[in-house]
Amino acid sequence: MVFEKGASSLKSVKAIETGKVAGTNNLATERKFSVLVVDDDAIIRKIHSKLLSKFPVEIQVAVNGKEAVDLYRSGAFFDLVLMDMEMPIMNGFEATKELRALGLKSLIVGVTARSSDSEKKAFMEAGLNDCHAKPLTSEMVKSLLQELNKNN
Amino acid sequence: MDGVVQLQKQLVDYTASLFHEGFLDEQFNQLQQLQDESNPDFVVEVVSLFFEDSERLLNELGKTLEQKTVDFKKVDAHVHQLKGSSSSIGAQRVQKLCIAFRNCCEELNTEGCLKCLQQVKHEYSLVKNKLETLFKLEQQTIAAGGSIPTL
């Protein structure tokens, strides 16, 4: 799947959200990218899910870091994780550290309302690939998915 | 068809004024662009979440600031959340006031915080009104057979 810059064909690809479990053996179609949105804010979850739904990706959500880690532990796989920093029970920093310790090598992108350079840097130390201010824009999401495409 | 054209013009003008007067910023535009046929009520849904969130937070803020010993950490946490959600929907004026509010928290200034709370409550009710009017105009336009023009 090639994502071209500004391709309007992207818009015509309907996002098919399937209930397929990772590892399904439908060999006829390419495996869709799986994205995990981790945020305790329902508004952000809704906006980011909507942004992602414009692309052919599978979307999962977690309302805090612990849920994200539990999901991964239970066998779910994600190509991309959008990780909020401030969440109850387990925050983004802890969750990122934990996911890396558990062996997740996929792209983890921090998404934070705390956008001072030093705060972003501190969050990155947990093992993020990158960190952006929230909410993400559609341009940002497009470039993240393009990066995924390149790496695969 | 005249009526529809009039309504559409009213809608465009009203929306433009909200941006002009700084009630809404680019983020609101982003939300409108996300809306499509698969989810034609997306913007209303997100804004409704914002209303619910904000009212809960403003309530909590009032209670927290009334305590004998004010827990400024708690106040700051609530304001941070409110700042986040207002920025997510593009409610620029509310977001800006939250920034000032957090400064008062840092200074452990109860009086200042109470003043900020009043201001935020006021701005919030203004933008709530504006958005509800906007949605009504949209509904009327659609009911008259028109479509929501994209700015």
Side-chain angles (χ1 to χ4, degrees), chain B residues 35-54:
Chain B
Q35 188 161 285
D36 58 25
E37 323 81 52
S38 74
N39 194 180
D41 295 319
F42 176 69
V43 181
V44 173
E45 286 169 9
V46 177
V47 172
S48 302
L49 279 176
F50 167 67
F51 290 162
E52 281 170 32
D53 247 11
S54 304

Side-chain angles (χ1 to χ4, degrees), chain B residues 57 59-72 74-75 78:
Chain B
L57 288 167
N59 238 317
E60 282 302 317
L61 279 166
K63 285 201 206 135
T64 313
L65 285 168
E66 269 172 23
Q67 300 303 312
K68 269 220 162 118
T69 330
V70 174
D71 183 350
F72 283 102
K74 212 175 178 197
V75 177
H78 288 324

Side-chain angles (χ1 to χ4, degrees), chain B residues 133-148:
Chain B
T133 305
L134 178 65
F135 294 146
K136 256 199 209 103
L137 278 174
E138 284 182 352
Q139 277 169 5
Q140 285 171 348
T141 307
I142 294 174
S147 56
I148 302 177

